[in-house]
Amino acid sequence: MLIDRITQQFEDSVRTKQKSAELLHQIIADAVQMLVETLGEGNKILACGNGGSAADAQHFAAELVGRFERERPGLAALALTTDSSILTAVGNDYSYEQVFAKQVQALGQPGDVLFAISTSGNSANVIAAIHAAHERDMRVLALTGKGGGRIVDLLAEGDMHICVPAERTARIQEVHLLTLHCLCDGIDQLLLGEADEDSHY
């Protein structure tokens, strides 16, 4: 029955999130530290991904440039998924594989971070962006699932990898969104200190 399927979706999501909390809490905390250091040094975060991961990249940039749950100055973050003229020009003149890499080459600076989001870890244009980031002396924060795919073997010393312990894309994406919120909350805590109990409402 449909009700049973819906209930199962919720139960599967809860189990995946609980397992992820057990396995990923330290690397998420370490990623928060890396992002705060990056921003504190006057550098920026460039985020990219495809489909739902593109939406996550935009969501994350919006939370930093605007705000998450507390008022603070805007933070330097940019989603590489939003400029249709760049995406279509690069896709047409070069290839879709280069739509993020070209932007990293143009906008990335040493000390910046590439936030590379791919549920499979195999997205060709995200992989190309990682190569471009390393060429620009940028660090990479990879957010993946399914064991990390090809991205695992590309990460260098100083990079970080948050890999959701799941195979199903929907479950991975759900944990990705929660991870984004953990990153935003952690950034705010390190920058602003502990929040008042009622400050989230």
Side-chain angles (χ1 to χ4, degrees):
M1 292 179 59
L2 183 58
I3 296 299
D4 293 335
R5 290 185 65 86
I6 292 169
T7 300
Q8 187 65 49
Q9 294 273 358
F10 275 88
E11 291 174 351
D12 289 349
S13 184
V14 168
R15 281 193 293 270
T16 304
K17 287 174 180 174
Q18 288 175 332
K19 184 177 181 182
S20 297
E22 294 169 3
L23 295 176
L24 302 179
H25 63 273
Q26 185 60 60
I27 186 62
I28 293 173
D30 293 343
V32 169
Q33 293 278 359
M34 178 177 77
L35 296 177
V36 169
E37 290 171 6
T38 297
L39 296 167
E41 292 169 356
N43 298 113
K44 61 186 176 295
I45 302 164
L46 304 179
C48 66
N50 297 283
S53 298
D56 285 341
Q58 292 164 214
H59 185 158
F60 182 71
E63 302 283 26
L64 293 191
V65 172
R67 67 175 180 186
F68 181 53
E69 293 182 325
R70 290 191 278 169
E71 290 294 340
R72 53 154 169 73
L75 302 173
L78 179 66
L80 304 181
T81 54
T82 59
D83 191 321
S84 59
S85 293
I86 291 176
L87 295 173
T88 54
V90 174
N92 183 66
D93 295 345
Y94 298 92
S95 71
Y96 188 67
E97 185 174 324
Q98 294 298 313
V99 294
F100 302 139
K102 282 286 187 181
Q103 295 183 77
V104 171
Q105 291 163 358
L107 301 172
Q109 297 293 329
D112 290 346
V113 166
L114 175 69
F115 190 15
I117 309 173
S118 171
T119 56
S120 68
N122 293 320
S123 302
N125 54 9
V126 175
I127 287 171
I130 291 172
H131 287 302
H134 287 154
E135 291 169 0
R136 301 290 290 169
D137 292 325
M138 296 167 58
R139 288 183 292 177
V140 175
L141 171 58
L143 181 60
T144 71
K146 302 184 182 183
R150 293 166 56 199
I151 285 177
V152 173
D153 296 326
L154 302 178
L155 299 179
E157 184 177 357
D159 293 341
M160 292 190 184
H161 184 202
I162 302 171
C163 183
V164 177
E167 294 295 321
R168 189 172 176 183
T169 298
R171 299 291 86 85
I172 296 167
Q173 290 176 330
E174 288 158 7
V175 178
H176 279 189
L177 179 57
L178 179 56
T179 299
L180 297 184
H181 287 163
C182 289
L183 293 172
C184 292
D185 179 73
I187 289 168
D188 280 1
Q189 180 180 350
L190 292 187
L191 292 178
L192 303 175
E194 292 288 347
D196 295 332
E197 289 184 4
D198 61 350
S199 65
H200 300 304
Y201 304 100

